[in-house]
Amino acid sequence: MSRPTVIVTRALPAPWLAALAAECELVIGPAAPPPASAVAGTRFAGRGAWCDATWSALPRADAILSLLTEPVDAAVLDAAPRLRVVSNMAVGVDNIDLAACAARGIPVGHTPGVLTDATADLTMALVLAHGRRVLEAADDARAGRWSTWSPDGWLGRDLCDATLGIVGWGQIGRAVARRAAGFGLHCLVHSRTPPAPAAGIEPVGLAALLSRSDIVSLHVPLSPQTRHLVDARALAAMQPHALLVNTSRGAVVDQDALVDALRRGVIAGAALDVTDPEPLPPTHPLFSLPQVLVLPHIGSATLGTRRTMAELAARNVLAALRGEPLPHAITRG
Ligand code: DGY
């Protein structure tokens, strides 16, 4: 019997794909998407790492293991009439047209849970690095600008007794709250399904969260409801000393409004692991603002987490190919 064909849209370390490779024929995409300038005007413009090799395998594909950089939309699905599953190596699935998959009866898998701790850790790293001016101080030390212990140099913000507003109460939001408690932060939480009030956790509406928080941290999935949730109005509701932290998806924030708010001092700073677009061009105005810290979407970037994500994504593929329910389904097809 012929082995099923699985498209893996980007190259991953071989050991992460061992279980899939044992049972399936893999068609593996490139290590990274080509620069936008290289594909402008071609059929691959805006298609992440989709390339001739992976695209031309779609007619025989039984499964797609995608990364968040590759769109899986109606055009992809139409080219793949045999497709039985789309498995995203991410917890977020905003790169996938869920309605188009559902219309074709194709289940969609993702990788919840395994990146919760890594992403919550990085959220705290952003809060601390921005709040204590870690990058700037390290740069100054390296560049010879450390002339003495300075009583008023590199002054940052106190975390103990500050108020952290957590928008979204999924696994990552909750993991951030647990870490925040250790730093003595008081947490305000806004969510569609609010938490029960507990020590150090206060459920509030979005307006109250924005106006009362010293730090606002975003932990919602990107959806039509959350796109530009933080817009000019939301930013205007924040305190002038407030810091905005985003480890969810860039488009949850209206980035033009953010640049404007930062330039005018409406809020004090932003620490962003995610941007819109990704990668953010080096010429983007956010990079010219000293009060902004931008990371290249590394929330889940630990060796253990990324390997487990790949293994979970592979388990979703193998289950679907065996006709079993996906262990981690976002939609069941
Ligand atoms: C996800 O899984 O959605 C994360 O953004 C990856 O880091």
Side-chain angles (χ1 to χ4, degrees):
M1 218 173 80
S2 70
R3 286 149 52 96
T5 299
V6 179
I7 296 177
V8 180
T9 59
R10 296 262 302 276
L12 298 173
W16 300 4
L17 294 173
L20 263 192
E23 297 188 30
C24 311
E25 219 49 65
L26 304 187
V27 180
I28 300 180
S37 56
V39 286
T42 75
R43 68 177 168 154
F44 293 119
R47 298 220 144 264
W50 283 106
C51 60
D52 279 322
T54 46
W55 194 270
S56 59
L58 282 169
R60 61 192 159 92
D62 297 285
I64 297 173
L65 193 158
S66 49
L67 271 63
L68 54 81
T69 40
E70 278 69 65
V72 180
D73 54 15
V76 169
L77 300 173
D78 286 345
R82 297 166 49 98
L83 198 66
R84 284 186 270 162
V85 61
V86 175
S87 175
N88 215 31
M89 188 187 138
V91 65
V93 288
D94 45 285
N95 57 313
I96 297 177
D97 186 335
L98 296 178
C101 289
R104 292 159 179 80
I106 298 170
V108 176
H110 68 150
T111 61
V114 295
L115 46 80
T116 300
D117 286 324
T119 308
D121 287 348
L122 190 87
T123 303
M124 293 311 294
L126 282 171
V127 169
L128 289 161
H130 193 289
R132 296 301 304 273
R133 303 170 66 175
V134 168
L135 273 73
E136 182 190 342
D139 279 352
D140 285 348
R142 188 185 291 265
R145 290 187 290 268
W146 176 19
S147 53
T148 177
W149 181 86
S150 167
D152 60 353
W154 304 292
L155 299 182
R157 64 173 75 222
D158 287 307
L159 285 192
C160 195
D161 292 332
T163 298
L164 171 66
I166 299 178
V167 181
W169 195 238
Q171 295 192 57
I172 298 173
R174 291 198 290 265
V176 169
R178 285 195 296 277
R179 284 154 177 75
F183 285 95
L185 284 153
H186 175 74
C187 291
L188 305 178
V189 176
H190 171 68
S191 166
R192 270 185 320 182
T193 45
I201 308 277
E202 190 185 337
V204 292
L206 184 59
L209 182 145
L210 294 169
S211 66
R212 288 174 53 196
S213 297
D214 302 302
I215 303 161
V216 172
S217 190
L218 305 176
H219 302 286
V220 289
L222 177 61
S223 69
Q225 291 72 40
T226 61
R227 181 173 292 275
H228 291 190
L229 180 70
V230 177
D231 57 7
R233 224 169 117 189
L235 290 160
M238 290 170 65
Q239 308 196 63
H241 68 268
L243 167 67
L244 178 69
V245 179
N246 192 5
T247 55
S248 62
R249 286 291 184 268
V252 173
V253 176
D254 176 343
Q255 225 163 243
D256 293 340
L258 177 62
V259 169
D260 182 58
L262 288 161
R263 280 187 176 141
R264 293 190 298 111
V266 173
I267 66 168
L272 311 171
D273 183 42
V274 288
T275 57
D276 181 21
E278 291 183 6
L280 194 66
T283 51
H284 192 278
L286 278 174
F287 282 120
S288 67
L289 298 171
Q291 69 273 46
V292 175
L293 171 54
V294 177
L295 296 181
H297 200 149
I298 59 166
S300 62
T302 71
L303 184 56
T305 299
R306 286 281 168 84
R307 183 181 180 132
T308 314
M309 287 167 71
E311 289 170 350
L312 226 60
R315 282 217 287 281
N316 276 331
V317 168
L318 289 171
L321 296 179
R322 291 180 190 132
E324 296 165 5
L326 274 52
H328 302 283
I330 192 110
T331 53
R332 302 212 169 265

